[in-house]
Amino acid sequence: MEKFATLNGIVAPLDRANVDTDAIIPKQFLKSIKRTGFGPNLFDEWRYLDHGEPGRDNSGRPLNPDFVLNQPRYQDAQILLARDNFGCGSSREHAPWALLDYGFRVVIAPGFADIFFNNCFKNGILPIVLDASIVDQFFKEVTKTEGYRLIVDLAAQEIKSPAGQVIPFEVEEFRKHRLLNGLDDIGLTLQHADDIRAYEQRRKLDAPWLFDAP
Amino acid sequence: MAGQTLYDKLWDAHKVRENEDGSTLLYIDRQLVHEVTSPQAFEGLRLADRKPWRVDTNLATPDHNVPTTDRQQGISDPVSRLQVETLDENCASFGITEFKMDDVRQGIVHVIGPEQGATLPGMTVVCGDSHTSTHGAFGALAFGIGTSEVEHVLATQCLVQQKSRSMLVSVDGQCAPGISAKDIVLAVISEIGTAGGTGYAIEFAGEAIRNLSMEGRMTVCNMTIEAGARAGMVAVDDKTLDYVSGRPFAPQADHWEQAVSAWHELHSDADAEFDRVVRIDAASIQPQVTWGTSPEMTVAVGDRVPDPAAESDPVKREGMGAALAYMGLEPRMAVTDIRPDKVFIGSCTNSRIEDLRAAAAVAQGRMVAGTIKLAMVVPGSGLVKQQAEAEGLDRIFVDAGFEWREPGCSMCLAMNADRLEPGERCASTSNRNFEGRQGQGGRTHLVSPAMAAAAAVAGHFVDVRDLD
Ligand code: SF4
């Protein structure tokens, strides 16, 4: 997993509450054998005027000009600004995979669905819960100012706005440690690689047949 | 201090370390891999530039999507084909042993693990599939995992786990002649309920379990997950050793001797304490037929379909009513009046040689009833198929009007071309009678292999012991 330090990124506003995982990545894409490549189908039903299918080339599809991510000013956005209960629905990890593949590393909202929130951390995305009034203020500023950026400093647990405003945010200590060091579950277990090898040495003495080559 | 349960012994032998939060890093001896739940795990390894920790502990085969008819044609559904091809590519590039679709050793993961001796007593065995509990029949700790855990095992040979509570299910005394392992496990599920085992690891014991063959014990452990428990297990005895001995992956020579003496310890101590004990009288178990949409909705073949009106619990009553409506059954009708359209003998529950022998014994000299649209037998592996053919079972089936197919999961979950049409009714030896499991709108009745064959020749459910 990629380490997360400080992100200075363009903000894209998605002004809807209860955005569910089906909206983030529609069902038909869950049959895929991949965990990457979902970026072009992120928010597929809102982003395009036609129906998307897995394996189809997305480059020639008619874009919905009203959808926010299609506006030139939000290209290359890395921070998604959202409304309450973002990510409700399925437990599948395709939703964070799609956001990550598109390029988002941070989602800011007044609230998230539980499983989605957990799945974000597992996949290197930082979900930040902020007071609804602050989220609202960001929505106003980002729509007013082209090229609006926020600086997210995970170590300091602060967001800095262009006007110099500093907003603190909460993140669980262990999750912060994992993101800062780029540790996924596997990375964490591999920190105990010596223990695993020591176990294998002991086990080879007790049960050598488990190490026979077939 | 009380003695240890079999589960305690298996758990302790695989503890790498205890984590600060009370979870345990558990060492995994064997991972079985199939095409549906592994692609993203392999991709995850690649993205993070990781290698399998011990590549030789993994064994792969495609099973869910493979066609059971002419394999020369390949797989016509593009999604299915891509999953199988992806497994082939991943195994080739990571160096994992795979029994490919055209290999005689190919089959359902839970059939080929034991068949190859890749499942051994005392092991931890995992697979990205909930019926991994099957392998517990060998005195192993075996359970299903999700795709991110598949990746975790590939990369670290370990899993982070919380220990479950322990349950002893003792099936005491002897079953009547003609009662199979499937009847035992359905009776157990109806006793403890589909959520009764949630949070537990179940050990099956008692005279009736000891009397079962290894195939029978696998059938029982296979369906542990239908009682809500991730792991089911049976203590090691001479039958276990006889089954394992001489198989391709089994230990040889000195290592075999050493293994056998260690495996003799794989039983619960006489003074071990369980968190819950359930006792079932084997003599009371009758041939079972499920009537609803959950495996606990089962009755004896001689009984009637239950009447929701007689149920006092309103939640249960509603569930029963919905199940009957979906199944297209009337309350209080005799189970023997239910007429299947199709018969499926197969799946990781009942597709081993002994299962096929039991079904063939019923089919021999009889004909599939004219009202049955399709009766199919799908062996669990290429080697089971080969053995059955050597014994002439295929002829018996074909002569009786059954179709004799290539090995795979087939109509257990209808991911390939084998499926029920809406409203079709099936006598099935598989493990799940959920709505739509065998095809959208399909109606599944779970039974033993002998009972499925009996339904095929009679055209309706019938006590196999009553066939003349
Ligand atoms: S036979 Fe059925 S239950 Fe068994 S692994 Fe295949 S799909 Fe799953």
Side-chain angles (χ1 to χ4, degrees):
Chain A
M1 205 162 80
E2 217 178 303
K3 287 183 186 176
F4 191 107
T6 301
L7 177 73
N8 179 343
I10 298 224
V11 181
L14 184 67
D15 199 355
R16 300 179 196 231
N18 304 312
V19 171
D20 64 44
T21 51
D22 258 359
I24 297 172
I25 181 83
K27 271 195 215 65
Q28 63 269 31
F29 298 102
L30 305 193
K31 279 195 216 148
S32 161
I33 51 156
K34 310 284 278 179
R35 69 203 290 159
T36 49
F38 293 110
N41 300 107
L42 178 73
F43 302 119
D44 195 276
E45 284 174 14
W46 295 338
R47 210 158 133 199
Y48 301 96
L49 294 170
D50 64 350
H51 178 80
E53 277 299 330
R56 194 175 149 192
D57 179 18
N58 296 289
S59 55
R61 293 176 59 195
L63 292 172
N64 172 4
D66 295 336
F67 185 60
V68 63
L69 292 187
N70 290 334
Q71 297 177 23
R73 58 188 285 192
Y74 298 124
Q75 296 312 302
D76 305 319
Q78 287 180 287
I79 300 173
L80 186 68
L81 191 61
R83 295 291 187 184
D84 202 22
N85 197 27
F86 186 83
C88 53
S90 146
S91 65
R92 299 255 200 154
E93 287 183 48
H94 297 69
W97 292 343
L99 287 162
L100 192 69
D101 196 64
Y102 182 90
F104 287 117
R105 295 289 318 263
V106 172
V107 185
I108 300 172
F112 292 89
D114 223 27
I115 300 174
F116 174 80
F117 191 73
N118 285 326
N119 284 343
C120 281
F121 282 104
K122 277 194 184 177
N123 290 285
I125 295 176
L126 174 63
I128 300 176
V129 179
L130 289 183
D131 207 73
S133 61
I134 296 170
V135 173
D136 215 45
Q137 178 205 322
F138 285 160
F139 265 106
K140 288 194 182 115
E141 291 175 3
V142 72
T143 32
K144 257 197 319 221
T145 326
E146 202 163 324
Y148 184 85
R149 288 171 169 270
L150 287 172
I151 300 171
V152 179
D153 181 343
L154 176 58
Q157 294 184 219
E158 284 172 353
I159 299 176
K160 292 194 192 80
S161 79
Q165 190 187 2
V166 176
I167 295 125
F169 63 88
E170 296 286 320
V171 56
E172 213 180 89
E173 201 46 49
F174 184 53
R175 288 178 155 155
K176 174 174 161 182
H177 166 80
R178 290 177 59 175
L179 270 182
L180 283 172
N181 295 290
L183 296 172
D184 50 15
D185 288 337
I186 292 174
L188 279 170
T189 295
L190 288 175
Q191 288 188 320
H192 305 300
D194 289 344
D195 289 338
I196 302 173
R197 278 189 277 267
Y199 171 88
E200 287 178 330
Q201 290 313 318
R202 288 198 303 278
R203 192 75 174 147
K204 262 181 207 165
L205 298 177
D206 296 348
W209 61 89
L210 291 173
F211 297 83
D212 290 346
Chain B
M1 213 181 82
Q4 284 193 304
T5 62
L6 171 57
Y7 177 55
D8 292 333
K9 291 179 186 180
L10 292 168
W11 184 268
D12 286 356
H14 291 89
K15 224 189 258 182
V16 171
R17 74 187 298 274
E18 308 230 7
N19 295 320
E20 292 69 26
D21 63 356
S23 62
T24 297
L25 194 60
L26 205 67
Y27 193 80
I28 303 302
D29 296 316
R30 176 73 65 209
Q31 174 157 250
L32 299 164
V33 178
H34 65 87
E35 78 277 22
V36 181
T37 52
S38 65
Q40 276 112 351
F42 284 114
E43 196 196 6
L45 284 189
R46 273 200 197 91
L47 289 173
D49 203 12
R50 286 175 176 137
K51 296 247 166 321
W53 182 278
R54 266 182 71 195
V55 74
D56 58 310
T57 60
N58 298 283
L59 177 62
T61 195
D63 54 7
H64 287 63
N65 286 287
V66 298
T68 59
T69 48
D70 191 1
R71 295 257 164 106
Q72 304 304 319
Q73 309 292 318
I75 305 175
S76 57
D77 175 42
V79 176
S80 290
R81 190 173 58 236
L82 183 60
Q83 287 192 343
V84 172
E85 287 170 355
T86 305
L87 181 70
D88 293 350
E89 281 162 25
N90 283 326
C91 288
S93 72
F94 285 99
I96 289 174
T97 305
E98 184 198 4
F99 299 157
K100 290 194 192 175
M101 204 165 87
D102 56 3
D103 190 315
V104 71
R105 297 166 298 177
Q106 177 269 341
I108 306 173
V109 275
H110 308 311
V111 174
I112 70 161
E115 184 172 83
Q116 292 294 322
T119 301
L120 292 175
M123 273 186 165
T124 40
V125 180
V126 298
C127 174
D129 184 277
S130 60
H131 292 95
T132 309
S133 56
T134 311
H135 308 265
F138 289 82
L141 177 57
F143 51 89
I145 56 178
T147 296
S148 46
E149 290 175 307
V150 172
E151 182 184 343
H152 197 281
V153 174
L154 281 168
T156 71
Q157 210 57 44
C158 291
L159 276 178
V160 179
Q161 293 287 301
Q162 296 281 352
K163 197 173 175 187
S164 305
R165 286 176 292 170
S166 61
M167 185 190 297
L168 178 73
V169 173
S170 184
V171 188
D172 300 323
Q174 296 183 5
C175 290
I179 299 301
S180 74
K182 184 66 160 285
D183 302 311
I184 295 178
V185 70
L186 284 171
V188 168
I189 295 166
S190 99
E191 174 73 26
I192 65 180
T194 42
T198 305
Y200 288 94
I202 297 182
E203 179 176 346
F204 295 96
E207 189 181 351
I209 300 292
R210 281 198 304 277
N211 285 344
L212 290 174
S213 64
M214 290 313 295
E215 285 89 347
R217 293 175 190 181
M218 284 188 253
T219 300
V220 171
C221 289
N222 172 276
M223 289 192 69
T224 317
I225 186 70
E226 304 331 319
R230 277 175 85 193
M233 62 199 82
V234 176
V236 171
D237 62 11
D238 288 345
K239 280 185 200 166
T240 325
L241 305 180
D242 285 349
Y243 184 99
V244 172
S245 167
R247 295 197 179 257
F249 286 64
Q252 313 282 332
D254 286 1
H255 278 183
W256 172 258
E257 301 301 328
Q258 217 176 333
V260 166
S261 68
W263 293 344
H264 279 306
E265 300 302 313
L266 294 173
H267 55 80
S268 291
D269 296 333
D271 56 344
E273 283 174 15
F274 290 84
D275 295 305
R276 191 178 162 198
V277 176
V278 175
R279 293 195 178 278
I280 290 173
D281 174 18
S284 69
I285 299 173
Q286 300 287 318
Q288 299 288 305
V289 180
T290 66
W291 55 267
T293 51
S294 150
E296 69 184 1
M297 294 174 160
T298 179
V299 288
V301 64
D303 279 355
R304 290 177 176 275
V305 172
D307 186 351
E311 173 61 53
S312 53
D313 178 344
V315 177
K316 273 196 188 160
R317 184 163 61 230
E318 203 176 308
M320 288 167 74
L324 287 181
Y326 179 84
M327 294 296 291
L329 298 175
E330 295 301 322
R332 311 198 57 78
M333 73 186 280
V335 171
T336 48
D337 286 341
I338 302 173
R339 300 183 157 273
D341 304 299
K342 288 183 174 169
V343 176
F344 170 61
I345 297 172
S347 91
C348 59
T349 312
N350 283 130
S351 63
R352 299 181 180 81
I353 189 69
E354 186 184 74
D355 301 311
L356 304 190
R357 287 182 192 137
V362 175
Q364 182 148 37
R366 298 191 171 96
M367 284 304 294
V368 170
T371 51
I372 303 281
K373 287 189 233 168
L374 169 72
M376 61 195 291
V377 185
V378 185
S381 71
L383 291 174
V384 169
K385 181 171 185 250
Q386 214 171 49
Q387 162 124 26
E389 290 173 355
E391 295 180 18
L393 305 185
D394 59 323
R395 290 304 338 153
I396 297 177
F397 286 123
V398 171
D399 289 347
F402 287 84
E403 291 191 13
W404 178 244
R405 296 287 188 92
E406 300 292 329
C409 293
S410 181
M411 211 158 68
C412 174
L413 90 167
M415 252 182 114
N416 68 357
D418 309 333
R419 64 188 64 211
L420 298 180
E421 297 302 322
E424 275 184 345
R425 185 179 300 290
C426 184
S428 177
T429 65
S430 56
N431 43 54
R432 287 187 170 152
N433 51 355
F434 302 159
E435 287 187 20
R437 168 81 177 182
Q438 296 192 287
Q440 206 190 348
R443 296 161 167 166
T444 302
H445 297 273
L446 303 177
V447 285
S448 72
M451 286 286 289
V457 297
H460 57 85
F461 288 107
V462 60
D463 189 330
V464 61
R465 299 170 300 185
D466 294 345
L467 273 188
D468 39 47

